[in-house]
Amino acid sequence: MVTVMDYKGIDTTWCPGCGDFAILNGLKQALVGLEIQPHEVVFYSGIGQAAKLPLYMKCNLLNGLHGRTLCYATGSQFANHTIKTIAVGGDGDAFAEGGNHFLHAIRRNPDIAYFVHNNQVYGLTKGQASPTSDPGFVTGTTPEGACHGRFNPAAVAVALDASFVARTHTGNLNHMVKMMQMAITHTGFAFVEIMQPCVTYNKVNTLKWYRERSYDIAAEKDYDPTDREAAFRKALEWEERFPIGLLYRAERSVLSDSVPALKDGPLNARPAKVNDVRPLLKSFR
Ligand SMILES: Cc1ncc(C[n+]2csc(CCOP(=O)(O)OP(=O)(O)O)c2C)c(N)n1
Ligand code: SF4
């Protein structure tokens, strides 16, 4: 039997009230609810407050460069696509520095659950506007308000035919845990946008703001998450109100099924083979 105490890591350095705490707790609950032991899962992250999350859990992890999380996570699928693979990061890490990797992970469809903590600001570097900041958002580096448009991750994911797209927020723990569990058990790239407050640098998009504007798409009985056009329309909703829940799901072949070298099982389960590279090197002369 596994309990949340099995995932207990070192003390956090987040600000009191930060939404990252709810995500950390929710993730432990999601894993325990699925009876996944710490040794059965591997975490990947980059840089940022959100990206520190795996450091605060007792787990297998790789904490690498800013924005490159999905590169390591995808690479690890080649070595062992049978282990649960979870990637986490903030909106800057995922959509600015890591923007191109987000697009190509969707395209390749590796079996990764990707949880992006979206606080609409760069928390770790002290409050600059991020790609998901709303236009007009005032920060130290945008004193007259952010003048760029808002990157809409869910709409981009649906447009690229991601195999799983969901949204939740940290003010609804049960909903967040449910979305996490659905993503972890989904086979393929499962993206969950988790709206969270940054109590220190974002005084606009607070927990109250998310609670007041969000509505659960599950309450719409006719909504079909396999209807891509309907999902795209839903993903575009933002200013007045925005949907949470499973926005989109597509039948896609998963990366490990498309790569011939992985047809015989994960590489780590096969005997190590040392190839003689000398003929190859000779061919370059
Ligand atoms: C290549 C690179 N560019 C910029 C930075 C500086 N940097 C570190 S964290 C960060 C922003 C993190 O914001 P976000 O991913 O939204 O996470 P949060 O801290 O808000 O959770 C930036 C710009 C860096 N470490 N490496
Ligand atoms: S700065 Fe913001 S994101 Fe970072 S720990 Fe504090 S509240 Fe959380």
Side-chain angles (χ1 to χ4, degrees):
M1 191 176 116
V2 57
T3 72
V4 287
M5 289 311 288
D6 294 318
Y7 281 101
K8 188 175 163 24
I10 58 169
D11 289 343
T12 69
T13 54
W14 292 321
C15 310
C18 176
D20 286 333
F21 287 103
I23 299 175
L24 178 63
N25 291 336
L27 188 50
K28 289 180 189 170
Q29 286 188 29
L31 290 162
V32 168
L34 293 171
E35 295 182 15
I36 296 173
Q37 307 268 355
H39 70 272
E40 294 171 323
V41 60
V42 56
F43 286 84
Y44 293 92
S45 69
I47 303 294
Q49 300 283 22
K52 292 192 228 162
L53 180 140
L55 305 174
Y56 302 140
M57 293 179 78
K58 196 173 142 215
C59 60
N60 300 305
L61 73 106
L62 192 149
N63 179 227
L65 293 173
H66 197 27
R68 311 298 172 213
T69 310
L70 292 175
C71 306
Y72 329 127
T74 304
S76 86
Q77 286 283 299
F78 284 88
N80 183 1
H81 55 270
T82 60
I83 192 167
K84 287 281 167 213
T85 304
I86 298 179
V88 294
D91 38 292
D93 197 47
F95 311 127
E97 289 81 358
N100 58 344
H101 305 304
F102 179 61
L103 307 183
H104 293 290
I106 292 172
R107 183 173 63 84
R108 294 185 177 114
N109 201 30
D111 190 15
I112 296 169
Y114 190 30
F115 300 135
V116 178
H117 309 204
N118 188 356
N119 55 18
Q120 304 186 250
V121 73
Y122 286 175
L124 187 75
T125 45
K126 303 200 180 299
Q128 299 83 11
S130 94
T132 57
S133 297
D134 290 319
F137 183 61
V138 175
T139 72
T141 49
T142 54
E144 292 167 354
C147 53
H148 52 64
R150 188 182 80 91
F151 181 80
N152 182 331
V156 169
V158 174
L160 294 177
D161 203 23
S163 67
F164 180 106
V165 184
R167 190 191 283 126
T168 185
H169 67 73
T170 58
N172 188 339
L173 184 70
N174 289 342
H175 187 269
M176 182 172 62
V177 170
K178 191 173 159 203
M179 292 303 115
M180 287 173 163
Q181 290 184 330
M182 284 168 70
I184 292 169
T185 50
H186 174 82
T187 303
F189 188 70
F191 166 56
V192 185
E193 181 181 19
I194 307 173
M195 308 311 301
Q196 63 139 120
C198 167
V199 291
T200 305
Y201 296 113
N202 188 341
K203 308 288 184 190
V204 179
N205 309 104
T206 58
L207 207 50
K208 185 168 174 279
W209 196 97
Y210 292 131
R211 279 194 175 124
E212 283 173 356
R213 282 167 180 75
S214 61
Y215 68 94
D216 192 344
I217 207 164
E220 295 193 359
K221 294 283 170 257
D222 294 338
Y223 186 69
D224 172 8
T226 65
D227 179 340
R228 195 165 170 200
E229 285 183 22
F232 191 64
R233 273 194 296 277
K234 280 289 174 203
L236 290 178
E237 289 180 15
W238 182 254
E239 279 85 11
E240 306 291 316
R241 56 204 290 266
F242 62 88
I244 59 170
L246 176 64
L247 299 177
Y248 185 58
R249 182 159 35 200
E251 288 292 326
R252 295 262 317 272
S253 83
V254 71
L255 177 78
S256 51
D257 286 345
S258 331
V259 176
L262 298 179
K263 286 267 190 295
D264 299 329
L267 297 182
N268 74 328
R270 299 189 219 163
K273 198 168 118 196
V274 181
N275 286 323
D276 184 358
V277 293
R278 280 170 297 190
L280 179 68
L281 292 177
K282 253 188 191 162
S283 71
F284 292 132
R285 287 200 191 129

